[in-house]
């Protein structure tokens, strides 16, 4: 599902999905979205980069699937994902329930597998 940035800027609560991809070259806009998410979520925010996750997938899966007794939700920011990250998304997509995962990527080509997956899937 695709949302235009100006619509999400007005009301970030429109995003109901657990997996969200922000992409483009406007770094300021992506940082604004991060700030809005931080202010609205009220949950613990954990930041990863794609490189960290690809080096040790098991730790990432343990972190994502670990349910805390004290907090119901966790919010994850993943910086610089690309097509290599698509397989991990497919693995965790059905397993996450209360966690929100926001991916912040650079410009993705129209032929990008990651971009087309997020555009065609209703869960993302």
């Amino acid at each position: 599902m695709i949302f235009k940035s100006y619509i999400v800027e007005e009301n970030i609560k429109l995003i109901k999905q657990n997996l969200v991809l922000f992409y483009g070259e406007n770094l300021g806009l992506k940082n604004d979205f991060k700030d809005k998410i931080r202010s609205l979520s009220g949950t613990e925010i954990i930041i990863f980069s794609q490189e960290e996750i690809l080096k040790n997938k098991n730790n990432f899966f343990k972190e994502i699937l670990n349910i805390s007794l004290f907090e119901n939700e966790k919010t994850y920011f993943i910086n610089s994902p690309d097509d290599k990250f698509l397989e991990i998304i497919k693995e965790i997509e059905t397993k996450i329930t209360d966690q929100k995962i926001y991916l912040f990527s650079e410009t993705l080509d129209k032929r990008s597998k990651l971009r087309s997956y997020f555009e065609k899937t209703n869960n993302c």
Side-chain angles (χ1 to χ4, degrees):
M1 179 174 281
I2 302 171
F3 290 103
K4 296 291 183 181
S5 62
Y6 63 88
I7 294 172
V8 177
E9 276 183 289
E10 292 173 6
N11 187 5
I12 195 133
K13 291 182 182 179
L14 290 173
I15 301 173
K16 305 282 186 214
Q17 291 81 2
N18 289 346
L19 284 165
V20 180
L21 171 66
F22 293 97
Y23 67 90
E25 55 190 41
N26 191 337
L27 186 59
L29 184 61
K30 289 189 284 189
N31 287 334
D32 287 346
F33 284 134
K34 285 180 183 180
D35 293 339
K36 286 182 182 185
I37 293 166
R38 280 187 181 109
S39 66
L40 291 176
S41 72
T43 63
E44 178 183 5
I45 294 180
I46 301 166
I47 301 171
F48 287 105
S49 71
Q50 174 181 284
E51 304 307 320
E52 289 176 78
I53 295 168
L54 292 177
K55 284 181 184 174
N56 198 343
K57 291 180 190 178
N58 290 333
N59 281 349
F60 177 68
F61 289 132
K62 286 178 187 176
E63 177 65 40
I64 294 284
L65 301 175
N66 182 18
I67 299 171
S68 174
L69 296 174
F70 303 107
E71 290 187 34
N72 294 336
E73 275 186 33
K74 288 184 181 178
T75 302
Y76 298 92
F77 287 170
I78 299 173
N79 295 319
S80 303
D82 57 21
D83 289 343
K84 298 176 203 170
F85 201 71
L86 183 59
E87 293 305 315
I88 293 172
I89 293 297
K90 288 179 179 178
E91 283 183 50
I92 62 172
E93 181 179 15
T94 57
K95 297 176 183 175
I96 59 172
T97 54
D98 293 330
Q99 302 90 332
K100 299 267 187 201
I101 301 175
Y102 297 95
L103 291 85
F104 294 92
S105 181
E106 300 299 320
T107 303
L108 294 174
D109 190 49
K110 287 190 181 230
R111 293 174 287 169
S112 167
K113 293 176 186 176
L114 183 66
R115 176 179 170 176
S116 71
Y117 183 78
F118 272 83
E119 288 175 352
K120 294 176 183 173
T121 307
N122 290 332
N123 301 350
C124 303

